[in-house]
């Protein structure tokens, strides 16, 4: 029989997670600039002498050489671009980075189209967390931008029910309608969530601003809590299940 020819190629990736595979291998879930989300097998990565092991830890930015195997991609070489070391030295920061990974992992599927803008958002977010920037701001900006990239942009400037322009007053938010509901419509609709003028102001700010402009936001703790709770509710609705990392983070903080 003729020898199987492997087609080898390079990708830039962030390791979302890994799991044990067989006796000594690791199965990697990657988010790549070139392929979107994909999986690859790192053979022998659990052996003590493995040169690949240190390069394929979760939330590491790497350049990988991959080869097409019979059933899946095989990792043949790995080089670290950025390990985001501060994220590994602080449990709170580790949890924030894990949340970033989990959100992207849950919302994406393997073999979707490439999305260089989503990949850039991912690496920029990890860099911001590693530089000890305000994590609340980094994560809320990431959430709003990720929803944009994935086609779930919430409607924040017109009522998602009647289309009228939203005024500067307390409103409602509908997960099913994907946006803000004006007080007039809100009287008769079920399953709505209150959203204050201040919380809406910051969500709008993140939706239409560059990150540099977004960093000028200075919300109080009550508004931070309100926006975080609202976004978590929206993600739970969209994904039809709760995320794991917010609960873990809450336990650590307590």
């Amino acid at each position: 029989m003729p020898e199987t020819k492997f087609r080898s190629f390079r990708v830039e990736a962030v390791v979302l997670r890994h799991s044990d595979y067989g006796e000594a291998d690791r199965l990697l879930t990657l988010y790549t600039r070139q392929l979107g989300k994909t999986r690859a097998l790192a053979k022998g990565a659990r052996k003590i002498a493995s040169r690949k092991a240190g390069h394929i830890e979760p939330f590491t930015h790497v350049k990988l050489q991959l080869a097409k195997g019979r059933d899946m991609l095989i990792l043949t070489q790995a080089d670290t671009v950025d390990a985001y070391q501060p994220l590994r030295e602080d449990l709170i920061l580790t949890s924030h980075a894990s949340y970033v990974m989990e959100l992207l992992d849950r919302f994406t599927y393997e073999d979707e189209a490439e999305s260089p803008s989503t990949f850039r958002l991912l690496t920029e977010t990890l860099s911001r967390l590693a530089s000890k920037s305000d994590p609340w701001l980094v994560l809320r900006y990431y959430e709003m931008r990720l929803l944009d990239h994935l086609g779930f942009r919430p409607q924040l400037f017109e009522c998602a029910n009647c289309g009228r322009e939203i005024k500067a007053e307390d409103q409602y938010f509908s997960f099913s309608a994907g946006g803000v509901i004006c007080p007039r419509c809100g009287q008769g609709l079920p399953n709505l969530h209150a959203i204050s003028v201040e919380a809406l102001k910051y969500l709008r700010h993140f939706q239409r601003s560059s990150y540099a402009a977004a960093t000028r936001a200075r919300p109080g703790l009550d508004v931070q809590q309100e926006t975080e709770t609202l976004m978590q509710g929206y993600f739970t609705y969209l994904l039809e299940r709760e995320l794991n990392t917010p609960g873990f983070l809450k336990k650590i903080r307590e």
Side-chain angles (χ1 to χ4, degrees), residues 90-120:
D90 179 301
L91 189 56
I92 298 278
L93 282 178
T94 303
S95 302
H96 288 319
S98 300
Y99 172 68
V100 168
M101 301 289 104
E102 184 185 15
L103 202 55
L104 183 60
D105 194 14
R106 290 278 187 91
F107 268 108
T108 52
Y109 298 91
E110 288 179 47
D111 305 320
E112 287 182 325
E114 62 175 329
S115 179
S117 57
T118 302
F119 182 81
R120 188 169 61 251

Side-chain angles (χ1 to χ4, degrees), residues 14 57 76 114 122 138 161 169 196-197 199 206 213 235 239 245:
V14 171
E57 287 303 304
T76 58
E114 62 175 329
L122 174 60
V138 173
N161 188 59
E169 57 187 331
S196 68
V197 172
F206 294 157
F235 291 134
L239 295 165
T245 39

Side-chain angles (χ1 to χ4, degrees), residues 149-169:
H149 291 317
L150 300 173
F152 293 105
R153 180 186 177 92
Q155 191 169 322
L156 303 178
F157 293 89
E158 296 87 28
C159 174
N161 188 59
C162 71
R164 285 191 188 88
E165 186 183 347
I166 291 295
K167 300 287 195 299
E169 57 187 331

Side-chain angles (χ1 to χ4, degrees), residues 34-235:
Q34 294 86 349
L35 307 170
K37 189 161 87 171
T38 191
R39 292 195 300 170
L41 189 63
K43 293 193 169 182
R46 282 155 55 209
K47 292 179 179 174
I48 294 170
S50 172
R51 291 180 181 178
K52 301 185 196 106
H55 300 285
I56 54 173
E57 287 303 304
F59 46 87
T60 306
H61 181 184
V62 284
K63 285 188 175 172
L64 306 174
Q65 190 77 24
L66 301 175
K68 284 207 166 185
R70 186 179 299 166
D71 302 314
M72 68 176 80
L73 296 171
I74 308 294
L75 173 66
T76 58
Q77 187 183 336
D79 298 295
T80 297
V81 176
D82 196 336
Y84 307 111
Q85 199 56 40
L87 303 183
R88 302 167 196 283
E89 296 164 353
D90 179 301
L91 189 56
I92 298 278
L93 282 178
T94 303
S95 302
H96 288 319
S98 300
Y99 172 68
V100 168
M101 301 289 104
E102 184 185 15
L103 202 55
L104 183 60
D105 194 14
R106 290 278 187 91
F107 268 108
T108 52
Y109 298 91
E110 288 179 47
D111 305 320
E112 287 182 325
E114 62 175 329
S115 179
S117 57
T118 302
F119 182 81
R120 188 169 61 251
L121 174 67
L122 174 60
T123 55
E124 285 175 351
T125 300
L126 292 173
S127 293
R128 287 162 188 159
L129 286 173
S131 71
K132 310 287 178 75
S133 298
D134 175 5
W136 178 86
L137 200 144
V138 173
L139 296 178
R140 297 300 81 76
Y141 187 81
Y142 169 73
E143 289 167 350
M144 292 303 285
R145 280 283 172 265
L146 187 63
L147 287 169
D148 271 3
H149 291 317
L150 300 173
F152 293 105
R153 180 186 177 92
Q155 191 169 322
L156 303 178
F157 293 89
E158 296 87 28
C159 174
N161 188 59
C162 71
R164 285 191 188 88
E165 186 183 347
I166 291 295
K167 300 287 195 299
E169 57 187 331
D170 292 350
Q171 311 285 339
Y172 298 96
F173 193 94
S174 167
F175 298 152
S176 57
V180 177
I181 302 290
C182 71
R184 204 163 116 177
C185 292
Q187 301 305 317
L189 295 173
N191 304 319
L192 298 182
H193 305 266
I195 179 169
S196 68
V197 172
E198 281 291 290
L200 179 57
K201 181 177 82 173
Y202 286 110
L203 291 181
R204 284 173 158 190
H205 179 53
F206 294 157
Q207 192 177 71
R208 62 185 175 184
S209 301
S210 65
Y211 180 73
T215 58
R216 293 199 285 270
R218 295 287 181 272
L221 284 175
D222 54 338
V223 174
Q224 290 189 24
Q225 183 63 53
E226 182 187 350
T227 52
E228 191 170 339
T229 301
L230 190 78
M231 294 307 288
Q232 288 309 312
Y234 190 37
F235 291 134

